[in-house]
Amino acid sequence: MDEKDRLLVAALRQDSRQSLVALARHSGLSRSAAHERLRRLETKGVIAGYTIRLGVEDKAPVVRALIAVSFQPGKNCDHIVPHLAGMPPVVSCWSLAGETDLMLLIECASNGDLDTIRRQISLISGVATVQTHVALRTHFDRRD
């Protein structure tokens, strides 16, 4: 990625619904050059998708938590991750080095829902331990 690509990505992070003309203007490119760069960034996987952010009044109350998962001996991601991929409250799943094998970002509507998803995860064959860490406040989130 060069400086023009970084300018395009920064503009998209600010507002992914900007017109191609606005993106081109922001990055100092022609409309066709900006379009070509966006397609190349998409093809390379630098831009994996476009999304929306809900306004404050449209957001449902959300409980966010990190769940640390450790595997039983002989088990690995191939055994556990497919089960997690089918659980909509599991927003992200990261493999880690160390005592914790996976870290999950959970988003759900209530603490009761969090308890349910936590129990479902603990019942997956091959899961040894599940530790829940509830997020009290978000200071910043670069995903938005």
Side-chain angles (χ1 to χ4, degrees):
M1 274 189 20
D2 65 11
E3 185 60 28
K4 297 290 185 182
D5 291 340
R6 283 190 280 282
L7 287 169
L8 280 171
V9 170
L12 286 169
R13 278 190 175 136
Q14 187 176 25
D15 179 2
S16 64
R17 293 189 51 179
Q18 290 185 62
S19 70
L20 190 53
V21 171
L23 291 169
R25 188 178 310 120
H26 178 81
S27 58
L29 295 167
S30 69
R31 183 189 162 289
S32 60
H35 185 260
E36 173 64 29
R37 283 176 179 263
L38 287 172
R39 294 293 166 241
R40 185 174 42 80
L41 291 169
E42 290 168 355
T43 301
K44 286 184 172 183
V46 174
I47 297 174
Y50 300 86
T51 188
I52 63 166
R53 273 190 334 236
L54 297 177
V56 174
E57 66 271 1
D58 291 333
K59 287 186 180 179
V62 174
V63 173
R64 287 191 181 106
L66 294 171
I67 293 185
V69 177
S70 297
F71 304 154
Q72 294 172 348
K75 298 297 181 178
N76 60 39
C77 292
D78 294 337
H79 297 99
I80 311 298
V81 172
H83 297 281
L84 299 170
M87 298 178 171
V90 180
V91 175
S92 297
C93 175
W94 301 283
S95 294
L96 303 179
E99 291 181 28
T100 299
D101 295 301
L102 292 175
M103 186 64 70
L104 312 175
L105 173 60
I106 308 297
E107 291 183 351
C108 53
S110 69
N111 285 334
D113 290 344
L114 177 59
D115 184 50
T116 298
I117 192 72
R118 183 192 188 289
R119 273 190 273 119
Q120 289 172 345
I121 293 167
S122 71
L123 295 173
I124 296 172
S125 176
V127 169
T129 64
V130 176
Q131 290 184 328
T132 306
H133 308 276
V134 177
L136 300 176
R137 181 171 71 171
T138 301
H139 295 278
F140 65 89
D141 185 345
R142 296 196 198 283
R143 294 176 303 141
D144 288 344

